[in-house]
Amino acid sequence: MKAIQVGLLGAGTVGSGVFTVLKRNQEEIQRRAGRGIEIAMVADLDTARAASIVGDHATVVNDARQVIANPDIDIVIELIGGYGIARELVMEAIAAGKHVVTANKALLAVHGTEIFAAAHQRGVMVGFEAAVAGGIPIIKSLREGLTANRIEWVVGIINGTTNFILSEMRDKGLDFDAVLKQAQRLGYAEADPTFDIEGVDAAHKATILSAIAFGIPVQFDKAYVEGITRLAPQDIRYAEQLGYRIKLLGITKRVPKGIELRVHPSLVPSKRLLANVEGAMNAVVVRGDAVGTTLHYGKGAGSEPTASAVIADLVDITRLHTSDAAHRVPHLAFQPDQMSSEPVLSMDEVVTSYYLRLRVADQPGVLAKVTGLMAEAGVSIDAVLQREAGEGEKQTDLIILTHDVREGAMNEVLARVQQLPTVLAPIVRIRKEELA
Ligand code: NDP
Ligand code: HSE
């Protein structure tokens, strides 16, 4: 049988990996897919660089629309990135009846509803395994392997760049900027690294996971997003002393009032496997009512790990593209007419526990005043750590770990504590996930 014909848009870090892995493993991939998978056309702005990657195995053009217009192309892989031209090209490919594979989480988190609806209507598949956690097959696991379960929560380290930065800062005492540059050199960081360090990339991925886990539409605009740029090295150290590590987590949970969808730095108990995921590695913990807790671990970025996920989608599409469209795995795991309207909760409604660091005057009664205000507000304290003031120092750090409390209530009490004359600097608040 003739090989299925693929057009590749964007021969950058991931695109070149797809080409290399497909070429290297083509024989085994063909035995799995049932027929060959051939990249016949490549579009990239830098045609000379693209030609140096693909040699004479594919036609190289600089206009991606030429690929979409080619009637011989069955599958279009979008590896350009961003919401601009990538969105236009994906929509045009779908309209032209091409199946699409993309690693573009930004595009899907923001425009997924429109893209999946168009694909459903046109009867084509959109594969996006590479969009979340790079090489880890978490989309397939959630959508197919765990399909029997009522998913309770999904919590993950889903941005390699920030995990790399936090690991290097903790292990080697390196400073933030130096480690970020290293992550960029290694190809982990997004073209615009603010997406990584401000939590936006993780929120794109968490949004996709949330949709698949709970059968809700992709709603990036409802996600709470906080990055790691304001984390101070002393909080990493205090957390360690208290038996925790700080990780940037993507969290989505089903709670009685709705769905939580949030990304922020979190203290995680050091004994949890998730706390020990280091460097650019990713890990996603999924809790289902039947299976219990499952951990999915692997490389979340990089050329070949991401290519591994892109090619898995190519194989799936190759196996399924002649099947009846109504009997394929739905894009978001649930049938399009069975999506839930459960609301995504505002951060004020989220119930979680906290690490607080207060810079206070080192004098009698300070701790009593702070804990008194917290007690009045019904905030229950789990642990207190007071750093011994150095010789001649008149200030000290007071660290408080709380039990679960509604974020709105916590905000109110923190505003009152902040007003105390003995609290000398803005209070640092980091949320805590026990993952029990
Ligand atoms: P790169 O920037 O390395 O590659 C993008 C490529 O697309 C570049 O070669 C660029 O050319 C080319 N390009 C830009 N505009 C056009 C256009 N109009 N037509 C054709 N080609 C174009 O990005 P990555 O490979 O790192 O990322 C690709 C996608 O994969 C993104 O959505 C990213 O978020 C996602 N992703 C990336 C991962 C990674 O580890 N890098 C991991 C998981 C997902 P030029 O350089 O000349 O501008
Ligand atoms: N910038 C992303 C990361 C790439 O660091 O995880 C993978 O999506």
Side-chain angles (χ1 to χ4, degrees):
M1 196 190 299
K2 185 180 168 231
I4 199 157
Q5 300 292 291
V6 178
L8 171 63
L9 314 183
T13 304
V14 183
S16 58
V18 170
F19 196 84
T20 307
V21 175
L22 202 49
K23 194 161 147 241
R24 187 172 71 227
N25 297 342
Q26 61 176 305
E27 199 193 309
E28 282 206 34
I29 291 169
Q30 175 164 352
R31 282 169 55 209
R32 293 188 174 118
R35 65 191 276 202
I37 298 176
E38 189 177 300
I39 297 184
M41 259 185 120
V42 175
D44 196 282
L45 298 181
D46 188 340
T47 49
R49 198 194 52 219
S52 74
I53 294 164
V54 305
D56 53 10
H57 294 277
T59 307
V60 176
V61 295
N62 73 353
D63 178 6
R65 291 194 164 90
Q66 269 183 265
V67 176
I68 295 169
N70 182 343
D72 294 334
I73 297 293
D74 305 296
I75 308 174
V76 169
I77 312 178
E78 182 279 303
L79 294 173
I80 293 172
Y83 325 94
I85 185 71
R87 170 167 166 256
E88 288 173 28
L89 295 171
V90 163
M91 293 304 283
E92 287 171 27
I94 291 170
K98 316 284 187 197
H99 302 288
V100 171
V101 175
T102 179
N104 192 339
K105 54 267 169 162
L107 178 66
L108 294 179
V110 176
H111 298 291
T113 302
E114 169 196 22
I115 290 168
F116 295 131
H120 180 65
Q121 201 178 12
R122 195 66 177 78
V124 296
M125 290 172 268
V126 177
F128 55 97
E129 184 61 69
V132 183
I136 306 175
I138 187 62
I139 302 292
K140 200 165 188 80
S141 298
L142 266 175
R143 203 161 55 179
E144 299 179 49
L146 297 172
T147 200
N149 288 264
R150 184 175 159 84
I151 304 292
E152 294 168 5
W153 48 259
V154 182
V155 173
I157 294 171
I158 46 181
N159 182 269
T161 302
T162 44
N163 203 52
F164 180 73
I165 292 173
L166 292 175
S167 297
E168 295 285 291
M169 284 173 74
R170 191 184 63 83
D171 270 7
K172 303 184 180 150
L174 292 175
D175 87 338
F176 183 90
D177 292 330
V179 191
L180 173 61
K181 286 205 181 80
Q182 216 180 325
Q184 285 175 296
R185 271 199 306 279
L186 290 166
Y188 305 144
E190 294 302 300
D192 177 357
T194 54
F195 269 30
D196 294 299
I197 60 183
E198 295 296 355
V200 176
D201 176 73
H204 287 147
K205 295 166 182 166
T207 299
I208 297 170
L209 290 176
S210 183
I212 294 178
F214 305 120
I216 58 169
V218 280
Q219 298 169 80
F220 175 67
D221 56 331
K222 305 266 173 65
Y224 174 81
V225 190
E226 189 184 310
I228 63 165
T229 49
R230 280 177 293 154
L231 270 184
Q234 65 262 43
D235 293 314
I236 297 177
R237 282 199 308 274
Y238 286 139
E240 191 115 47
Q241 284 171 27
L242 289 159
Y244 292 86
R245 289 204 179 152
I246 300 183
K247 296 288 181 189
L248 183 74
L249 296 185
I251 300 170
T252 185
K253 293 185 181 179
R254 193 199 309 253
V255 295
K257 284 185 174 173
I259 306 292
E260 293 180 6
L261 173 55
R262 50 194 170 103
V263 168
H264 50 71
S266 302
L267 271 76
V268 180
S270 307
K271 63 185 179 204
R272 299 266 178 257
L273 288 171
L274 202 59
N276 293 282
V277 172
E278 298 291 9
M281 300 306 279
N282 281 198
V284 183
V285 183
V286 182
R287 176 144 187 106
D289 67 339
V291 74
T293 303
T294 60
L295 172 71
H296 309 253
Y297 171 85
K299 287 189 177 152
S303 182
E304 293 203 5
T306 313
S308 163
V310 170
I311 295 169
D313 281 340
L314 291 179
V315 171
D316 263 2
I317 292 174
T318 304
R319 286 171 176 154
L320 291 171
H321 80 293
T322 52
S323 67
D324 173 3
H327 294 113
R328 293 180 189 146
V329 181
H331 291 113
L332 293 179
F334 291 73
Q335 298 297 336
D337 61 353
Q338 295 295 317
M339 298 300 278
S340 153
S341 57
E342 271 178 283
V344 175
L345 300 176
S346 78
M347 205 54 202
D348 267 6
E349 296 290 319
V350 166
V351 174
T352 186
S353 55
Y354 295 85
Y355 158 102
L356 306 171
R357 174 166 58 84
L358 293 82
R359 188 79 186 147
V360 293
D362 191 22
Q363 61 190 50
V366 173
L367 179 60
K369 274 203 188 104
V370 171
T371 53
L373 283 175
M374 292 200 168
E376 266 172 39
V379 176
S380 166
I381 291 171
D382 181 28
V384 176
L385 172 77
Q386 183 168 348
R387 193 184 66 91
E388 227 171 273
E391 186 132 343
E393 265 190 294
K394 298 205 162 35
Q395 307 179 356
T396 189
D397 283 335
L398 182 62
I399 314 297
I400 298 176
L401 299 184
T402 76
H403 288 294
D404 278 353
V405 51
R406 193 175 57 79
E407 175 123 345
M410 184 50 121
N411 288 341
E412 283 166 26
V413 68
L414 284 186
R416 285 202 291 280
V417 174
Q418 188 71 74
Q419 296 306 314
L420 293 173
T422 45
V423 174
L424 306 172
I427 299 170
V428 173
R429 168 253 301 273
I430 307 175
R431 300 170 188 90
K432 190 158 74 67
E433 284 296 319
E434 291 293 335
L435 299 176

